[in-house]
Amino acid sequence: MSGEVMLVKGLYTHGVVFSKNHPLTFLGTYEENSQVRIEIDQDGHRLYDDIHQVSNQGKLYAKTIKLKASYKEVAVKVTTKNTTESFVGYVGEVYLGAGQSNMAYALKYDNHFDEILAQENLLKGIKCFSVADSLIENDVIKRPLEPLSDFIKHATWIDSSNPSFSDYSGLLIMLGLLHQKIKDYPIGLIDVSVPGCSIEGFLPIETIENNPTIKSYLEENGFLKYPLSTINDYTVASGIYNEKIAPIIGFPIDQFLWYQGEHHVGTNREYDYYKEALKRLIESYRVLYQQKVPVILIYINQTYYPQDDNYSVSRINLAIQDNQNIEDEIYAIPTYDVIPTWKNSHTKGIENPIHPTNKFYIANRIHQVIHKQSSPVLVTEVRVLTHAIEITFDQRLKQDKGLVEGFTIAGDDHIYQPAEAQLINQNTIILSSRFVDHPVYFTYAFQLDNHSFTLKSTKGMPLPILHSDEDLSRGRYYAYYGYEHFSHLDYFETAFDPLYGTPRIKPLLFLGELHHNRDLKIIKGKHHIQIHYQASAQRDYKERFGVSLDLSKTGFQLMFSSFKKIELKSTFESKDEVAFLGLLFKDVRNQVWLVKPTSHNKVDNEEVYELDLCEISYADLNKETIELSKYNQIKQMELVFEASDNAVIELVSMIHHL
């Protein structure tokens, strides 16, 4: 190592932020067994001046003094017999952010971009450091096979005066902004995220080699082949760790934030692997850093992936949730309850449904947990009763609106039904269903589209995803409707598919449980869908109820301008008249719209309705007497019926016409 004299490239440059909770620490690569002098000044006073020994491997690891957090500049000079390095830094808090593209997603694409840039005084206290990909040959990114002691490329700390500030992680900057509102000292943000990456890229190779669960999974899936390759397909074992984490091991941090998992959505096998890999990642980093750094784990967005089997994303979020340990300062942050947006005036054609542009609420929840203003909700007790399940939580709960939705229960047959949930004593939920005599298992929010589930703590933290059944292939979700007996060309909707990045043709999806009515039961046959409406008591008035249609697994609203009309065929069985009132839905601005049937005919015992999508107007809604408050949870589309007695409605077909 003779002749190389340097601190870690870029890390020790003007604007660096040191942790107020630890001694100022210096890392570098120097001549073996040499000596390094470190001088620290503040306000014209010499606070520290001492000599540190470089190891016989040429490594400098020097702890100096602990200083109070402030905006006062700290002048540092590091000298050897031949060289001098000088820079000015600050003392505050340091957050390390890691993960995939949602951690890396630039501030300039966020819905709050303009609002954030306007807060210039607060932004001045945010210092950002990003570790770029270093090994690029012929446009191919590669990863080193051994841990590096230094960065290959030189980087610097930047602030809001730098033009590239808006390219930095939006989530981290928003978190820094919230920090600045309550703290009178700087915050340093270090981003080591890699879009599209896998978790094994962040694991030290020793962790992989010494863990049978992790190693066997990677070998079975071809992600751990010997000799190891440097070519980056985002799954190079330990590659990201070697390049971006290893050089700063020992530089004290105050929070470790992890926002990753999209790469791993899949089966129960992926759940087992990801749960174990995440656990070992946290353990290994704490050992290497020699500090019990608090950890924030962020749920990935509940959106569609091509390999989805209805529960794939929920499994990853459950693996994240299962790693939470409040006593050990590991916190999981749910994100499923807020409808994601993908497009705004800043995205300019780069929209992708796996990249929400509204992440400020995530930053706010993280901020509240870090500063003890809120905490994740915990289950303290589960009691399986004769005809119900009782779940007690550690905090008082509140339901924002309407019924408590999102719970399902099942008996020993593992057949799940939407549960009727009652909130009692502000912290206990009683679950039951007329279709499950002896419930044993339960789930909460364990499905793809669960944005309507609004049960939260009184401080605004959503309940965690819950699943008490060991078999994570079980649950209650949507089923394809029409797939078996309609061609895709006649019966389809256009949606964005992240796998291909282009519109794909998909069959229409029927979703009976998204906005469940406790009086409804959905029976799905191969060639039909039956809606059984069971009146809880004889009524002398007609009650309106709805069943949901999921027209896009991606979160995009259907572009109605692409279609001319919808044709619905159904049959009704009831002692009293059953009426089809129309199609109710919310647009991306959360406005509620209604499409009424423009024609109604009876053909061969089938009720045939046509809805002219060109006639949609907000004004129509004001003329309708539907109690809209009952349907204010609608996120996509809902067929609305009216009946006063028990009824069976069979949907024969529903076809969109261009």
Side-chain angles (χ1 to χ4, degrees), residues 365-637:
R365 287 177 183 173
I366 296 171
H367 174 78
Q368 290 177 338
V369 169
I370 289 175
H371 296 285
K372 312 302 181 185
Q373 298 170 1
S374 180
S375 62
V377 180
L378 303 178
V379 175
T380 57
E381 184 181 13
V382 175
R383 297 177 61 211
V384 178
L385 309 176
T386 304
H387 300 294
I389 295 177
E390 180 182 282
I391 309 171
T392 303
F393 298 89
D394 70 331
Q395 301 179 43
R396 294 167 58 196
L397 306 178
K398 64 177 182 179
Q399 171 67 7
D400 284 354
K401 57 186 78 173
L403 300 173
V404 177
E405 296 182 289
F407 286 96
T408 70
I409 56 176
D412 288 326
D413 57 4
H414 300 272
I415 298 176
Y416 283 84
Q417 298 289 348
E420 181 176 334
Q422 293 180 302
L423 176 60
I424 62 173
N425 300 327
Q426 295 188 304
N427 72 333
T428 300
I429 296 288
I430 304 293
L431 305 177
S432 62
S433 170
R434 69 183 65 183
F435 305 116
V436 182
D437 291 333
H438 302 290
V440 178
Y441 306 106
F442 69 91
T443 74
Y444 179 73
F446 194 77
Q447 63 181 63
L448 194 62
D449 190 337
N450 46 22
H451 309 305
S452 64
F453 306 153
T454 56
L455 191 60
K456 300 177 182 178
S457 72
T458 54
K459 294 185 178 180
M461 188 65 70
L463 266 61
I465 283 182
L466 301 172
H467 199 301
S468 66
D469 195 338
E470 291 184 1
D471 184 355
L472 300 184
S473 298
R474 306 296 187 116
R476 184 74 171 177
Y477 199 59
Y478 54 73
Y480 284 102
Y481 173 57
Y483 183 86
E484 300 88 350
H485 54 286
F486 284 106
S487 75
H488 288 194
L489 296 179
D490 294 330
Y491 187 78
F492 74 98
E493 57 99 0
T494 301
F496 185 89
D497 191 327
L499 181 63
Y500 302 100
T502 56
R504 310 289 292 177
I505 292 177
K506 301 179 185 297
L508 185 67
L509 300 172
F510 180 82
L511 181 59
E513 286 72 48
L514 182 58
H515 311 292
H516 175 65
N517 183 308
R518 68 184 66 189
D519 297 327
L520 293 181
K521 182 177 182 181
I522 310 299
I523 298 178
K524 301 165 186 172
K526 185 175 182 180
H527 298 294
H528 71 276
I529 293 290
Q530 282 189 346
I531 306 162
H532 289 240
Y533 173 70
Q534 184 173 347
S536 55
Q538 188 68 30
R539 298 184 176 94
D540 57 2
Y541 63 92
K542 294 183 182 295
E543 180 166 288
R544 299 176 175 94
F545 57 93
V547 290
S548 299
L549 294 170
D550 181 5
L551 296 180
S552 172
K553 293 175 73 175
T554 67
F556 277 111
Q557 299 292 333
L558 184 68
M559 299 300 293
F560 283 102
S561 59
S562 301
F563 300 96
K564 296 298 183 184
K565 66 179 181 178
I566 291 178
E567 181 180 272
L568 174 71
K569 293 182 181 179
S570 62
T571 62
F572 300 146
E573 295 180 16
S574 178
K575 296 179 182 178
D576 198 1
E577 180 182 357
V578 178
F580 171 55
L581 299 184
L583 189 64
L584 200 64
F585 71 96
K586 271 189 178 181
D587 65 11
V588 292
R589 295 176 299 279
N590 268 350
Q591 288 183 327
V592 182
W593 301 78
L594 179 69
V595 188
K596 300 178 185 177
T598 52
S599 68
H600 172 209
N601 298 294
K602 192 165 186 176
V603 180
D604 297 330
N605 203 37
E606 293 179 352
E607 308 289 337
V608 181
Y609 299 90
E610 284 193 359
L611 297 91
D612 189 342
L613 296 177
C614 298
E615 295 297 322
I616 295 176
S617 70
Y618 187 66
D620 282 351
L621 187 62
N622 297 325
K623 301 175 185 177
E624 185 54 51
T625 59
I626 290 178
E627 298 174 18
L628 293 177
S629 60
K630 186 167 183 178
Y631 300 104
N632 61 8
Q633 297 293 313
I634 293 171
K635 298 300 187 295
Q636 293 170 318
M637 301 178 66

Side-chain angles (χ1 to χ4, degrees), residues 11-42:
L11 185 63
Y12 297 97
T13 52
H14 182 72
V16 59
V17 179
F18 295 96
S19 169
K20 69 182 180 66
N21 298 309
H22 303 272
L24 276 62
T25 302
F26 298 86
L27 313 172
T29 304
Y30 290 86
E31 186 175 350
E32 296 91 335
N33 300 312
S34 62
Q35 291 185 329
V36 176
R37 180 183 180 185
I38 300 177
E39 302 166 76
I40 301 175
D41 296 346
Q42 191 175 51

Side-chain angles (χ1 to χ4, degrees), residues 240-367:
I240 301 169
Y241 169 81
N242 292 339
E243 181 181 21
K244 302 192 177 195
I245 301 294
I248 57 174
I249 288 293
F251 185 79
I253 58 177
D254 299 292
Q255 300 287 336
F256 175 60
L257 295 93
W258 180 255
Y259 195 1
Q260 194 272 345
E262 296 91 344
H263 186 101
H264 300 281
V265 295
T267 65
N268 290 0
R269 185 82 168 94
E270 277 66 44
Y271 161 81
D272 292 334
Y273 165 72
Y274 194 78
K275 178 181 176 181
E276 179 69 13
L278 185 54
K279 178 181 179 180
R280 301 309 172 189
L281 181 140
I282 296 169
E283 288 180 353
S284 62
Y285 280 26
R286 284 179 164 180
V287 169
L288 290 165
Y289 267 91
Q290 299 181 36
Q291 64 173 111
K292 185 181 174 181
V293 58
V295 176
I296 301 291
L297 308 174
I298 306 163
Y299 279 30
I300 64 173
N301 184 59
Q302 295 281 139
T303 193
Y304 166 68
Y305 288 82
Q307 63 270 46
D308 178 43
D309 69 345
N310 308 336
Y311 310 109
S312 299
V313 178
S314 294
R315 289 190 189 98
I316 294 302
N317 283 333
L318 187 63
I320 290 171
Q321 183 63 45
D322 288 346
N323 270 281
Q324 177 174 267
N325 186 332
I326 303 298
E327 293 182 357
D328 201 28
E329 295 188 89
I330 303 172
Y331 308 92
I333 308 296
T335 63
Y336 61 79
D337 59 306
V338 175
I339 303 175
T341 60
W342 321 108
K343 183 178 181 179
N344 56 39
S345 59
H346 305 294
T347 52
K348 298 179 181 178
I350 66 163
E351 299 86 355
N352 191 318
I354 65 172
H355 295 151
T357 58
N358 55 333
K359 292 191 175 80
F360 193 85
Y361 77 96
I362 301 177
N364 190 54
R365 287 177 183 173
I366 296 171
H367 174 78

Side-chain angles (χ1 to χ4, degrees), residues 55-115:
S55 73
N56 55 14
Q57 287 84 35
K59 307 298 182 187
L60 173 69
Y61 176 59
K63 290 185 177 181
T64 60
I65 57 171
K66 189 175 177 180
L67 297 178
K68 291 183 178 180
S70 74
Y71 286 109
K72 293 181 180 180
E73 292 184 343
V74 177
V76 177
K77 184 164 70 171
V78 180
T79 58
T80 68
K81 60 182 180 181
N82 298 319
T83 63
T84 299
E85 299 173 85
S86 300
F87 58 91
V88 173
Y90 303 90
V91 177
E93 291 186 38
V94 182
Y95 292 179
L96 175 64
Q100 288 187 231
S101 50
N102 272 313
M103 177 62 81
Y105 204 57
L107 173 67
K108 63 185 178 184
Y109 300 130
D110 195 86
N111 296 352
H112 293 83
F113 175 57
D114 296 325
E115 175 187 336

